Amino acid sequence: MPSNKSVSDAPIVQFTNCRILREHRLQREDLWVREGKILNPEKLFFDEKGSADVQLDCKDSIIAPGFIDVQINGGFGVDFSLATDDFKSGIDLVSQKILSHGVTSFCPTLVTSPPSVYHQVLPQISVRNGGAHGAGVLGAHLEGPFISKEKKGAHPEHCLRTFEAGAFQDLLATYGSLDCVQIVTLAPEMRRSSEVIRELTKRGICVSLGHSVANLSQAEEAVQHGATFITHLFNAMLPFHHRDPGIVGLLTSDKIPAGRRVFYGMISDGIHTNPAALRIAHRAHPKGLVLVTDAIAGMGLAPGRHTLGQQVVEIDGLNTYIAGTKTLSGSVATMDTCVRHFQEATGCSVETALEAASLHPAQLLGIEHKKGTLNYDSDAEQGCHISLSRCPCGAESSGQRSNPGIPRHCWSFVPLPCMGIESTELEI
């Protein structure tokens, strides 16, 4: 039966024989999509008297929300912290390449840089939806330069800054513009940081705490002023101590304002965080965990020398270091790798692992009404198709916590073909 065209002439695509990740569990339902939006089949049938123009058999695969990477410094030879004349083409390249790893939205991240770099790069970043051309851009994540010298990590010390009497005006002068900025990472122990956090929050910008020597009290004060995120938990901050757990203590703090949730980023690449620490964080605060790649320009390329803003970095296997040192400098992990490692390290359900890379970052940014879920009227461009076919080992997921593990060779990823994205399959 042809679909009713009274509402729209666009074709209706029906995904059949699939399991949809919706309401925190895998549900055996069909998925209906039109013009990039997920349809309510009841309204389609009864109000529009419509039906599918195209049916796609998913062969018992999972359809899950696309991943959202809120901390990615570059990849495939592109460094977001380098001011170049063809910066926009670099954004386009990364946007297209990360689709095949399940990422459908991301925040291009700039590490600590001179003001001239921010002034040249930020005007070239614009918020845009995803689709066949690549993953959507949600806005920039500015990691620094208002961070601690003691916990600078891979950030160049000569570019670090403090807040002077003008505080927020200092920040504006450094960045030049906040028009495309989604997240700012800063150290909350800095003088006048509370004023800056309040001003950023007023403008709808997410404030993240990181590269910091803050104690728990200082971190709690920052949250009370509006901070909602922690940049790569455990890395570049004071280690957990039982008398003062520092920023890590926010995961179980009783000083978080009512109705507020603190989220925290985790680089689940098997290098930045020991699996035991990953399990501790997840069990302490599972609903706040946000998987990030912290990927650098060398992601997707062979080992060798690359850049991270003002620094030269070396890739040695899966390790990335500031050249000539053993200081970690981002990762070369893709998001699908991080999701898989997280699931294996924690023993969590498939649903939990997928939501840590989709629903949770959407909630962090306050965009869960359109991304991070497969609810009706959500953006279908964010969807990804995860094949969990039966393989020679006989393993198959039930989606239950009693069966938490899926061997990695059973996982494959295919972007939703209804979005015009080329269907490429790879191991995750």
Side-chain angles (χ1 to χ4, degrees):
M1 180 179 74
S3 58
N4 185 306
K5 299 299 182 183
S6 62
V7 174
S8 171
D9 290 331
I12 296 170
V13 181
Q14 177 188 8
F15 294 87
T16 66
N17 191 19
C18 56
R19 287 169 286 172
I20 301 174
L21 179 56
R22 183 177 285 158
E23 299 297 332
H24 316 298
R25 62 187 180 89
L26 294 174
Q27 305 183 36
R28 192 168 291 282
E29 297 179 16
D30 292 352
L31 185 73
W32 301 74
V33 177
R34 178 176 58 199
E35 292 186 309
K37 293 291 183 182
I38 296 171
L39 301 177
N40 181 335
E42 289 190 7
K43 290 184 178 179
L44 175 65
F45 300 151
F46 297 111
D47 295 349
E48 300 184 34
K49 304 295 189 282
S51 62
D53 296 287
V54 179
Q55 288 186 327
L56 296 173
D57 185 349
C58 296
K59 303 184 186 303
D60 201 35
S61 299
I62 288 174
I63 295 181
F67 303 146
I68 301 171
D69 195 350
V70 300
Q71 187 176 4
I72 173 172
N73 309 292
F76 313 99
V78 177
D79 182 350
F80 295 144
S81 299
L82 283 185
T84 60
D85 293 334
D86 61 345
F87 182 85
K88 286 186 177 181
S89 65
I91 286 274
D92 292 343
L93 176 64
V94 174
S95 173
Q96 193 276 324
K97 292 283 190 181
I98 58 179
L99 273 180
S100 63
H101 297 283
V103 178
T104 54
S105 299
F106 70 110
C107 293
T109 303
L110 279 71
V111 296
T112 295
S113 303
S116 59
V117 170
Y118 297 116
H119 295 177
Q120 186 172 345
V121 168
L122 291 181
Q124 298 186 70
I125 299 176
S126 56
V127 175
R128 69 187 189 198
N129 291 327
H133 59 275
V137 177
L138 299 174
H141 177 170
L142 305 181
E143 187 186 4
F146 301 98
I147 58 175
S148 166
K149 176 181 175 181
E150 291 81 1
K151 292 295 180 181
K152 66 182 186 299
H155 292 238
E157 185 173 334
H158 70 278
C159 293
L160 299 182
R161 301 175 72 89
T162 57
F163 297 120
E164 302 303 327
F168 189 68
Q169 293 306 313
D170 292 339
L171 180 141
L172 287 176
T174 299
Y175 295 146
S177 171
L178 296 174
D179 290 345
C180 66
V181 176
Q182 182 72 249
I183 304 173
V184 171
T185 292
L186 54 77
E189 71 275 14
M190 284 189 165
R191 291 182 59 194
R192 306 181 183 90
S193 65
S194 294
E195 172 193 336
V196 172
I197 293 170
R198 287 194 299 268
E199 290 297 326
L200 288 171
T201 303
K202 283 180 187 176
R203 288 162 173 77
I205 295 172
C206 169
V207 175
S208 187
L209 312 180
H211 288 276
S212 166
V213 293
N215 57 35
L216 178 57
S217 177
Q218 291 168 324
E220 290 170 334
E221 182 180 356
V223 171
Q224 289 158 8
H225 287 299
T228 55
F229 194 40
I230 303 171
T231 296
H232 45 52
L233 187 76
F234 297 125
N235 291 276
M237 61 186 61
L238 291 179
F240 179 90
H241 189 280
H242 59 284
R243 293 195 187 93
D244 191 335
I247 290 177
V248 177
L250 288 176
L251 272 63
T252 57
S253 171
D254 59 359
K255 301 290 196 304
I256 307 301
R260 179 94 48 87
R261 183 188 306 178
V262 173
F263 294 87
Y264 59 98
M266 295 292 291
I267 310 171
S268 176
D269 62 352
I271 294 168
H272 279 78
T273 309
N274 184 279
L278 188 55
R279 288 190 290 273
I280 289 171
H282 176 245
R283 292 174 189 177
H285 186 27
K287 292 184 178 181
L289 193 148
V290 173
L291 293 177
V292 300
T293 62
D294 199 19
I296 64 169
M299 177 181 68
L301 303 180
R305 289 200 164 200
H306 302 278
T307 62
L308 178 60
Q310 308 299 301
Q311 309 272 44
V312 176
V313 301
E314 293 177 325
I315 298 177
D316 179 12
L318 296 177
N319 295 285
T320 62
Y321 302 111
I322 295 296
T325 75
K326 287 298 180 182
T327 299
L328 286 174
S329 54
S331 81
V332 289
T334 55
M335 183 60 86
D336 51 341
T337 297
C338 292
V339 171
R340 183 180 67 217
H341 177 73
F342 171 61
Q343 195 265 336
E344 291 177 345
T346 63
C348 70
S349 68
V350 174
E351 296 95 324
T352 296
L354 294 172
E355 288 189 339
S358 55
L359 175 62
H360 294 179
Q363 291 172 330
L364 164 70
L365 300 178
I367 56 174
E368 68 272 22
H369 60 290
K370 59 182 179 178
K371 297 188 186 297
T373 74
L374 295 179
N375 295 337
Y376 303 137
D377 295 323
S378 293
D379 292 347
E381 52 98 309
Q382 57 162 318
C384 65
H385 188 191
I386 300 176
S387 175
L388 293 175
S389 320
R390 221 175 257 287
C391 72
C393 72
E396 187 177 38
S397 170
S398 68
Q400 303 300 315
R401 294 184 182 275
S402 58
N403 183 10
I406 298 177
R408 66 184 64 189
H409 56 278
C410 298
W411 292 52
S412 63
F413 168 80
V414 184
L416 284 182
C418 71
M419 297 301 102
I421 301 170
E422 182 180 352
S423 293
T424 54
E425 184 167 312
L426 59 142
E427 228 180 63
I428 62 171

